[in-house]
Amino acid sequence: MKDNDHFERVNFETLIETDGYDRIQDRLNIVDVFLGTEEHITIDEMYRLLLEKGYDYEPEFVRQCMNRMADLGFAQKKKFKDQPIRYEHRHLGRHHDHFICTKCGKIVEFADHDMERLQTKVAASHGFHMLQHRMEIYGLCSECLARRKPLMPLGMAKPGERVVIREMTGGKSALARLSSMGLRSGDQIEIINNTGKGRIILGRDHTRLAIGRNIAQKIMVSVADKEGADGGVT
Ligand SMILES: [Zn+2]
Ligand SMILES: [Zn+2]
Ligand SMILES: [Zn+2]
């Protein structure tokens, strides 16, 4: 056990003894397991982790103990978008913020001195006295980014496939032609017909569009996700 963890454990023990809690040893076991993980952990995950370590406590007891730790300032509760409540360590005098991958849910911590200072400065310039903040940046983690589907020319997309426009190459005239049809990067389109010759028929929202094969070769697309999300960017 790290020195700091030991100190936190003793500190916690003193506080719950003062409050007259029962099952002190069980609670300390939960504290030890919690301090021993660096994860942003849910109650369910905490319960399973305790089981792995040989502690079979009722989930409600685990929840109650975790909340007590949060109340006493040993843990902090975090609710990231679309995720269950998670608990992480709260080390006094230390602060960090989070990147959250919207694809796999991975949480990455960061601390940036300049960003912290800038937030205080911006708040002050609005006459706002900042007490606390949370900075959450949502996006793709490096693994998910690396797995992102490669680009292909629209001309290669198959009928029935849903794709997202990623880039448009080609000269100004090609770009002007596309924007006159209302096509923009990020648009999701459905391939209605592509015989490999002649024009390609697309559906976008409620409109069908016909695009010449030459221009279709200049539009780079990626395959959209099955759920209809936009091809791996969300
Ligand atoms: Zn921060
Ligand atoms: Zn990810
Ligand atoms: Zn964190």
Side-chain angles (χ1 to χ4, degrees):
M1 186 183 282
K2 287 178 271 172
D3 284 357
N4 189 58
D5 288 355
H6 180 70
F7 181 78
E8 302 230 333
R9 179 193 208 269
V10 172
N11 193 182
F12 183 79
E13 186 177 6
T14 311
L15 288 171
I16 58 171
E17 269 173 357
T18 313
D19 285 345
Y21 272 86
D22 62 346
R23 296 178 69 179
I24 299 279
Q25 188 54 50
D26 289 341
R27 292 173 201 276
L28 289 176
N29 291 340
I30 295 178
V31 171
D32 288 345
V33 170
F34 175 66
L35 292 175
T37 175
E38 292 302 320
E39 300 298 316
H40 299 75
I41 200 163
T42 65
I43 293 288
D44 283 352
E45 289 164 351
M46 189 64 202
Y47 174 72
R48 283 197 298 273
L49 187 60
L50 282 159
L51 270 184
E52 271 172 39
K53 308 269 178 194
Y55 302 120
D56 186 3
Y57 299 136
E58 318 83 89
E60 195 43 46
F61 178 69
V62 176
R63 179 188 308 280
Q64 195 200 72
C65 188
M66 295 298 287
N67 285 334
R68 195 76 267 227
M69 269 192 274
D71 293 343
L72 294 173
F74 294 87
Q76 48 191 335
K77 278 178 162 181
K78 287 279 155 68
K79 175 82 181 81
F80 300 114
K81 191 170 172 285
D82 302 331
Q83 294 199 8
I85 290 173
R86 295 181 179 279
Y87 296 74
E88 67 169 331
H89 302 171
R90 177 174 182 171
H91 297 304
L92 298 183
R94 273 194 266 155
H95 166 84
H96 65 264
D97 293 298
H98 299 96
F99 293 115
I100 303 102
C101 180
T102 54
K103 199 91 180 149
C104 71
K106 183 175 178 181
I107 298 161
V108 180
E109 299 184 338
F110 72 92
D112 187 283
H113 180 68
D114 289 341
M115 194 181 274
E116 295 298 323
R117 213 183 39 205
L118 191 59
Q119 289 177 96
T120 314
K121 190 178 141 197
V122 171
S125 76
H126 286 263
F128 197 86
H129 174 61
M130 192 166 96
L131 296 174
Q132 51 172 304
H133 73 273
R134 45 196 291 179
M135 163 78 76
E136 289 165 14
I137 299 182
Y138 290 84
L140 290 182
C141 72
S142 49
E143 286 84 6
C144 288
L145 194 61
R147 271 199 298 271
R148 198 155 67 149
K149 299 167 192 81
L151 300 183
M152 63 179 171
L154 177 61
M156 283 175 62
K158 302 280 178 288
E161 203 159 39
R162 295 193 71 83
V163 297
V164 180
I165 298 179
R166 293 294 173 205
E167 276 170 33
M168 299 196 232
T169 58
K172 278 195 180 131
S173 62
L175 282 176
R177 175 91 186 89
L178 289 171
S179 64
S180 74
M181 288 187 278
L183 288 177
R184 261 182 243 114
S185 180
D187 283 358
Q188 188 173 137
I189 51 182
E190 185 184 343
I191 314 301
I192 296 172
N193 213 339
N194 181 9
T195 57
K197 300 182 291 221
R199 296 185 306 174
I200 295 169
I201 311 300
L202 311 172
R204 201 209 46 209
D205 299 331
H206 299 291
T207 312
R208 288 115 184 125
L209 299 167
I211 291 195
R213 185 147 298 273
N214 285 345
I215 288 186
Q217 289 308 112
K218 293 174 179 147
I219 303 176
M220 302 304 287
V221 298
S222 63
V223 177
D225 283 348
K226 285 280 176 290
E227 312 85 63
D230 81 342
V233 162
T234 57

